[in-house]
Structures are given as C-alpha cells and as structure tokens.
Amino acid sequence: MSSRAEILSAVSQNKPTLVPLPTIDFNELIRYDDLVAQFKFAVEKIGGEVLFFENEASLFESIRLQQGQNRVINTLQMNDAEKISLSKEHASDLESVHTAYFRGEIGVAENSAIWIDEKAMVNRVLPIICEHLVLVLDKNAIVATMHHAYQKVNVKAVGYGTFIAGPSKTADIEQSLVIGAHGPRSLKVYLIG
Amino acid sequence: MKKVKEHAEAAADFIKDGPRTDWHDDTLWFVREKRDLAAHTLPEWEQLREWASQIKNHTLSNLDEYLKNFEINAQSNGVKIHWAANAAEHNKIVHKIIQDNNIQKIVKSKSMLTEECHLNEYLIQNGISVIDTDLGERIVQLRKEPPSHIVLPAIHLKKQDVSETFHRHLQTEKGNNDPQYLTEAARQHLRNHFVESELAITGVNFAVSETGGFVVCTNEGNADMGANTAKIHIACMGIEKIIPKAEHLSVFLRLLARSATGQPITTYSSHFNKPRPNQQMHIVIVDNGRSRQLGRADFRNSLKCIRCAACFNTCPVYRRSGGHSYHTAVAGPIGSILNPNLDMKANADLPFASTLCGSCSNVCPVKIDIHEQLWKWRQVIADEGYVTTSKKVGMQGMALVFANPKLYRILGSIGRKTMKLFPFLVNNKLNPWYKQRDMPEPPKESFRDWYKKQQK
C-alpha cells in the first residue's frame, strides 16, 4: 500500500465522530470608533510610519521628488513592458533596490497588516528584498479585523499574497528587538484620501 | 551512542548556574506577560480560543476528506504533493528532489517538522548541507546545537554567547555584543546564501483545504526571501496542519502571534498557492505517528497545536530547566504530550517534567487540555512499565501508606519526631526532597490529634 493510502486509511479509521464547524459571529468582534486612527496606532507600535496624502497626484509628486541616485521602483506607475521586465529580474538584481512602492489592497486596523498580492508586487521577491518598503493604501480600504479582511480577499484567486505588518524584525538575540532582519529596514504606509 | 540524559538529570545541570537560570526564567516570563497584554486588547479573546478549538476539533473529525481535497486543489495549482508515512520517508523524499535537480545550494526557514525528522543530519550524512536562515536557528546551527524553543530557538543563549559564535564563524569583532551589530552581520551573511539559493525548504503554519495553498508566518521574512528566490520550494507539513477554509485563517492568525510573542500579528503571513513561472513547488505531507495519536481519544486533541509556544513561556518547569532538557525537537508542555506518542520509552520522563499546575492549558490558544494529558500519559507510561524502579517503588509505598490509616498515623508520628530530634537524618543529600529546599518545621502534633482535642 502506498504511504498516501496508508495515511488516509489510518486517519479515516482513527478520526473521531464528526463535530460541526462553529459559526464566526461578527457581533462578537471588537469595534473601533476610528479605523484610521487605530490603524495608524498599530503601524507605529510595530515600528512603521504613516503619512497622509490627499490624492494620488500629490503622492506621485512626492515620489518623483525622492528619486535620487538610489534605485527606486514605483510599481504604481509602471507600464506593461516595464512590469514584464521587472518580473523577470532575479534577487541578485533586486538586492540593490533602495525603495519600492506598492499598492496595498486592504489594511487591517487591529494589527496594521496590509494585504498585497503578487500582481501588485510584480516580482514576488521585491517587497521582501528592497531596503525600504512603502505601501500605498486607500483610507477606505481599512477594515477592523482579520475576519473582515478575509471577507474581501479572494485568497484562491492569487498564486501568492501576503499580509505585511511593519518592517522585518527579529528578537532572537536576547529578546532585543532589531528592525531589519532579512527584509526591509523600514516600512512607510502612505494613506490616500 | 551517547546516552540521552533524562529531563530531571539535564535540568539539574541547567540550574547549576543560578543567575543564568533566573535570567532564563525572567526572559520567558517577560514573553508570557507580553502575551497577556496582547490577549487583553481583544474582548473576544476567549471566544476566539473557543472558535479555534472548535475549528480544529471539526477538522480532525473529517481530516481524511480535508487532506484529499487539499491534495486535489494543490495539484490543480500546479503543486506536486508527496506523502510520507514517517520521518525516514520524509527525508528520502526531500533528498530525492535535491538529487533529481542536481541542487547544491539550499536554504531553510523554520520548520519544527524537519527538526522532528532530523532532516539536516540526514542530508549531511548524504553530503548535502542546508543553511538555516532564521536568525535564532542559524545561531544554534553554527553552534551545532538543536533549537531550545520552537519560536525562540536561541533563547537559552546570552548575547555574549552569540557574539563569540559569530566571531568564530562570521568574523565579527571580538567582544562586540550589540544585538543590532550581530543581527546586521547575520543579515549580510545570510543575504548571500539567499541570493545564491537554488532550493528553499519551509515549514507550513496552516494548509488550507479549500484553496490547496499554505500559509507561512515569519517576522524576519526569511521564508519569503528563500521561497521567492529559489527555483524549487519544498514545504513540509504534518497532516494536522490542515484547516478547512481561508476564512478560518483569520481566527488562527489573530491568536498565533499574540500567544507566541505578544505581537498583534507576525510581520509576514504569506499565502503560497501556486509556483512562480518556471518554479517547482512541492509539499511533503507527513504522518510520523500523527494518525496513531488521532486514534488515542485521551491524547488526540494535542494535534490541535499551532506551535505558538505559549505553554513553554508560562511553564515554571520549562522556564527553569531550559529546552534542551527535554531532549526532543518540540520541548515544553506540548512536547511532553506529543513525544511519548513518537517513542514512549525514550520519552517516558517527559510527562513527569511538570507540576501539573495547569497554566499551559489556560494559555493554550486552541484549548488543548495539556496538563490533563500529562497526567494521563503518566498513567499510560506506568502501566506500560516505563517508569524507573525508584519511582515505582516510591509510588507503591505511598499507595500502601495512604490506603492504611493506622500505618499513616504511625509513620507520621515517627516522621515528626525524627525531624525534631534527628534533623540531619532528613536534611542531607540522600534525601531528594532536601535538594534546593529547606525541610519544613515539623508540627508539634498531627491535624488529627489537634482536631480530636478541639472536640473535647
């Protein structure tokens, strides 16, 4: 018998009597009076920074002004050819990226996690390998909790997607928090609207 | 082969350094306190635990169907599924993928399953080296030690220890103990390995039956860095990692990091569904005794564990004996109820490494009755004859005395007199109760004698 058959048969024999799934009652969940304020509080608590922009035009102007000698990638203003080219770059090419900008899809007020899928990333390794990460998010895309977020995210539709909360970090040396483990050394969230 | 020390013996070695034991104790208690603060921010915390527990109970009661669905959905996502009945088969599967693709450079993010299967050792025996990329795991790997904690692998080490290790292996400045400096050195060292990696091995925190995808949680970003760079990604999971639907991730992601470190969520909660173009993605689904545990009514709900380690951080025995004393991949209270299933004889000491205070069960985010299972394992282990003779004789003696009131009174009286008149007979090294304890003042009379007097 194959291991597959062996495992499934043992599980089938040994599993207990079927018990039902619970229903998640959204009335039980925490409510925040001001989602944006809670979101900002959560970002700052885990070492990120929030900046407000009235509209995309003012945001793009600000990004344009930041362009210097360092390599900056703004995935929000890329044409298809540029996206195809970026998607083919290897980690060794992207290692030198100073700042990368992405559009986040949903923000979660309770923990400041921002959902971003591979389409928005263009290249899966870019949001993790850039030195500094900027996620652009519509104020209206902030929901209260992870339960609300999963109502909106169509997980099945993406090949890869992630909730990002704050810059990469570690406390593996004597529980001392160090920002900038393997991924970005900073996270800025640009809230639009 | 070197004889593995039993928990009590290894713990005795651990506590020889008093200040260091206190430091270890305090450090983990600090993590437990952070967990409490995080839990208290949510009024629905207890409800969340209940939902998580029920989702896991449901999943275990339909596990074969969920596994089959997961396989179908993962395959339609372009992922190759492998099944391993035990650790040896798991290791062979991973080895074969490495060989078939002629791979030299491998990075691995945290996976307690690969620790349980001793994958690294197996691959080394076959001439293949793997770079652990979680900072804590890399530290212990360089020191040729196993992790001492499932979430904080190097929690037993002080920054001076890490500094010395990095000085030797990564040529950092001697005596520079700054965590920022040491972390930066590890970042540079591991970045090279990431960029050059051809194959990445990761664990799985949750596998979603409905999507065929899996979720990996890290703070450092090492799982994503490896998996999104290498041309092959192998994810290793136990059969119990399955949950029914993506929406259930909300319950577990809210509980996991808060229970583990007091963070509201890990920095990265990454959902891997499909490989990149030209990438291979493999999932190895491992049983290794789990289906047997599923059949043990008293112990099956240990399979609900989401590996947050809250039970470690709260455990007075773990905090003062260190993870290595448990001589297994998963230490702490949860390890003490999982490991007897893997090898009852070799791990017969572990269910006794507890005060049965119940704190582990109280913090468990999926409501595993850990302390009750510890107590039940003790009975199974005694029935199977795996307790030491001294413990067996002691227990039999105690049972005899407690079942015989007259004998109990006589011995009580002798005990009180002995302690009063000849204290050196009990206050010596031959009495294990005297170790690190002062014997109590003997009472003048027994409670029974006192009570009888009051009635007159």
Side-chain angles (χ1 to χ4, degrees), chain A residues 3 19 150 160-161 183 185, chain B residues 58 89 136 184 187 224 258 271:
Chain A
S3 290
V19 292
Y150 276 104
Y160 169 76
R185 297 176 191 274
Chain B
H58 164 79
E89 192 175 5
E184 182 62 30
R187 177 184 168 106
D224 299 85
R258 286 184 174 98
H271 300 52

Side-chain angles (χ1 to χ4, degrees), chain B residues 294-308:
Chain B
L294 187 63
R296 300 186 202 259
D298 282 344
F299 304 113
R300 67 165 58 102
N301 90 24
S302 60
L303 296 170
K304 288 152 68 180
C305 176
I306 57 172
R307 302 292 191 271
C308 71

Side-chain angles (χ1 to χ4, degrees), chain A residues 49-123:
Chain A
E49 201 183 330
V50 177
L51 284 93
F52 293 91
F53 288 88
E54 259 177 52
N55 50 46
E56 293 215 337
S58 60
L59 163 79
F60 292 147
E61 177 61 15
S62 147
I63 296 176
R64 199 181 59 80
L65 293 172
Q66 285 165 34
Q67 307 258 9
Q69 293 184 325
N70 296 315
R71 186 172 178 198
V72 172
I73 296 181
N74 175 6
T75 62
L76 279 74
Q77 289 176 294
M78 263 187 169
N79 63 37
D80 288 350
E82 287 169 326
K83 282 188 180 171
I84 289 169
S85 158
L86 176 60
S87 73
K88 288 179 179 158
E89 285 195 58
H90 186 256
S92 53
D93 308 314
L94 296 170
E95 229 192 333
S96 58
V97 173
H98 181 271
T99 305
Y101 294 84
F102 302 95
R103 194 186 297 283
E105 196 175 319
I106 291 155
V108 186
E110 67 165 320
N111 54 22
S112 83
I114 295 172
W115 173 261
I116 162 169
D117 71 19
E118 66 177 335
K119 271 199 192 116
M121 294 176 194
V122 186
N123 185 313

